[in-house]
Amino acid sequence: MAANDTPYVGLLLIADGLGDRPVPELGGRTPLEAADTPTLDRLAREGECGLLDPIAPGVRGGSDTGHLSLLGYDPYQVYPGRGPFEAMGIGLEVHPGDVAFRCNFATVDDAMAIVLDRRAGRSDFGTRALAEAVDGVQFEDVVCRFKESTVHRAALVLHGPGLGDRVTDPDPHSDGLPLVPAAAKDPADAASAKTARVLNAFLRLTFERWQHHPVNEERRARGIPPANLALPRGPGRSPHLGTFAQRWGFTAACIVEVGLLKGLGRYLGMEVIDVPGATAGLDTDTEAIGRAVVAAAARHRFVLCNVKGPDVAGHDGNPHGKVAILERIDRMAQQIVAALGRRLILCVTGDHTTACSFRDHTGEPCPILFWGETVRPDGVTQFGERPCAGGAVGRIRGTDVLRIMTSYMNAQEKFGA
Ligand code: ZN
Ligand code: ZN
């Protein structure tokens, strides 16, 4: 308990893709080192800093695996592949035991034999209507939920008992090659054989319902390849993770901008809060996100907040954009600290490094800081990759973060007598 007996509230503030490499046009500094971040620097001075390997040293993680790890789940134990998380991310309900696939709308020849275009001209024309024409069909005792995503993408969730995910991809992964019916990788694996049967029946149905669907007549008329087949890949069986509250002993709010992480929050039973103005881009309304964090802290002892912009700038190879969004996150941190004050145990870090020069995720650690009245200050005076390397936290992994935070929050059961 804090001095006034109000429980501490933990805030894990993730600047997505925070870490970076030295940028020549920033004088060899990283975007975070170059950014003007008076609040984060003050928090570093008053708190404790270090380096975070979101998964393990050198691992190029994704946002999903990084956040699983940061929330205390070892992704090597529980990560089912991208299928379930992509499905959750576009708003499909995913339950433990379901098998999910990433899909493309694809163009197949009139015999449903040769995949002519794996991405159906990269057009989203009519994909919602096509998805609605097959969503909810049932084969055996398995319900197939199918939903369109961006451009030519979609996701498929098989919901039913006794499904396995050890099945081959029907996707030939190159245009002009034959469609390959799904099969269990091990013929003795009855659960995966069931998945393959249902999957093949579902693919046949998409062809039958889509081949002459008005959307495809219109696509042909417009010179867009017809989207007459769902092409799945990357199956994954959703793990039984329990809820965040079961794991840590208190409820949590999830204030994030992208569907992938909203889906993860829902899967873990967190209260997922949508913030108007949160665009997941460089123009996002960080002040509105900050207000939502403060409001959520009145209802929950833990808040996960992710601001996507730094990762977007990294993928765009835009170091100045990354600097700018980090400076706005700095003001958001000021706003939150001012509102929550001594109730707050704050951790600021990233879920992976997104290097502007590489335009993708890389394996370097992210800087991390812990701040709050129970935290012992170390000698670090600036929040940046290299300043934090000298801090008292040392070099930790994602799965350490919630343990450290719950200790500072006085919210952890004792291990031992
Ligand atoms: Zn990320
Ligand atoms: Zn990214």
Side-chain angles (χ1 to χ4, degrees):
M1 296 288 150
N4 60 3
D5 275 0
T6 309
Y8 289 119
V9 56
L11 168 61
L12 177 54
L13 174 56
I14 306 295
D16 203 292
L18 173 65
D20 214 306
R21 292 174 172 171
V23 177
E25 60 190 284
L26 298 175
R29 295 170 297 175
T30 68
L32 178 60
E33 290 166 357
D36 179 27
T37 54
T39 297
L40 294 174
D41 293 344
R42 168 170 78 83
L43 299 175
R45 201 161 54 243
E46 296 174 359
E48 193 175 33
C49 294
L51 291 179
L52 169 78
D53 291 300
I55 296 171
V59 174
R60 287 183 64 207
S63 287
D64 45 7
T65 46
H67 279 76
L68 270 174
S69 185
L70 285 162
L71 294 173
Y73 304 87
D74 178 352
Y76 290 116
Q77 301 290 325
V78 305
Y79 186 62
R82 288 174 65 173
F85 286 95
E86 300 248 337
M88 291 172 208
I90 62 173
L92 280 171
E93 236 179 272
V94 180
H95 300 277
D98 291 355
V99 173
F101 299 79
R102 308 165 69 201
C103 293
N104 283 356
F105 287 93
T107 307
V108 70
D109 70 356
D110 292 344
M112 196 188 151
I114 304 293
V115 176
L116 302 175
D117 182 345
R118 293 181 58 252
R119 300 183 185 86
R122 295 182 186 266
S123 165
D124 65 357
F125 182 85
T127 54
R128 170 162 297 177
L130 294 174
E132 284 168 0
V134 298
D135 179 33
V137 298
Q138 187 169 341
F139 298 100
E140 303 180 28
D141 52 0
V142 178
V143 176
C144 306
R145 299 299 314 276
F146 184 86
K147 193 165 190 280
E148 79 288 355
S149 176
T150 54
V151 205
H152 55 274
R153 301 181 191 91
L156 169 67
V157 176
L158 304 185
H159 174 64
L163 294 168
D165 65 356
R166 305 270 302 145
V167 295
T168 57
D169 270 1
D171 184 346
H173 292 276
S174 254
D175 291 342
L177 294 181
L179 180 69
V180 201
K185 289 180 177 172
D186 172 1
D189 177 354
S192 296
K194 178 177 179 181
T195 298
R197 275 197 316 275
V198 170
L199 188 64
N200 290 329
F202 180 77
L203 296 197
R204 162 66 51 187
L205 180 99
T206 64
F207 179 72
E208 287 167 1
R209 292 200 180 169
W210 291 351
Q211 171 73 333
H212 300 293
H213 192 283
V215 160
N216 276 326
E217 303 303 352
E218 182 65 29
R219 287 174 69 113
R220 291 183 185 98
R222 293 179 180 218
I224 306 169
N228 59 0
L229 181 74
L231 200 52
R233 64 184 184 283
R237 189 165 183 273
S238 309
H240 291 74
L241 297 181
T243 65
F244 182 92
Q246 286 165 347
R247 173 88 180 211
W248 295 105
F250 40 83
T251 63
C254 177
I255 299 173
V256 297
E257 300 190 274
V258 294
L260 181 71
L261 299 178
K262 289 181 185 181
L264 177 61
R266 277 192 294 272
Y267 198 71
L268 296 175
M270 303 166 95
E271 184 193 356
V272 177
I273 297 168
D274 290 313
V275 179
T279 63
L282 298 182
D283 61 346
T284 195
D285 188 344
T286 46
E287 202 184 322
I289 295 171
R291 281 196 303 273
V293 167
V294 172
R299 297 195 301 281
H300 298 281
R301 290 191 64 189
F302 186 83
V303 181
L304 168 70
C305 177
N306 177 294
V307 179
K308 184 67 177 170
D311 180 61
V312 173
H315 284 286
D316 288 345
N318 175 7
H320 292 289
K322 194 162 177 179
V323 167
I325 185 72
L326 291 172
E327 291 179 345
R328 293 177 54 219
I329 291 172
D330 185 79
R331 290 201 287 281
M332 187 182 101
Q334 201 280 330
Q335 171 194 355
I336 293 167
V337 169
L340 297 178
R342 294 175 56 188
R343 282 190 61 214
L344 183 63
I345 299 296
L346 174 64
C347 173
V348 185
T349 187
D351 57 338
H352 48 78
T353 286
T354 306
C356 290
S357 56
F358 189 63
R359 295 183 175 225
D360 206 340
H361 305 184
T362 59
E364 295 88 348
C366 288
I368 187 167
L369 75 79
F370 295 95
W371 179 91
E373 68 177 5
T374 54
V375 178
R376 299 176 303 215
D378 56 15
V380 176
T381 59
Q382 189 199 343
F383 190 51
E385 284 83 344
R386 280 163 283 196
C388 284
V393 174
R395 187 161 173 167
I396 60 172
R397 296 192 185 194
T399 48
D400 296 325
V401 168
L402 255 289
R403 283 198 294 267
I404 294 171
M405 289 185 75
T406 52
S407 175
Y408 285 140
M409 291 163 64
N410 300 330
Q412 194 183 115
E413 297 293 322
K414 186 158 55 177
F415 176 54

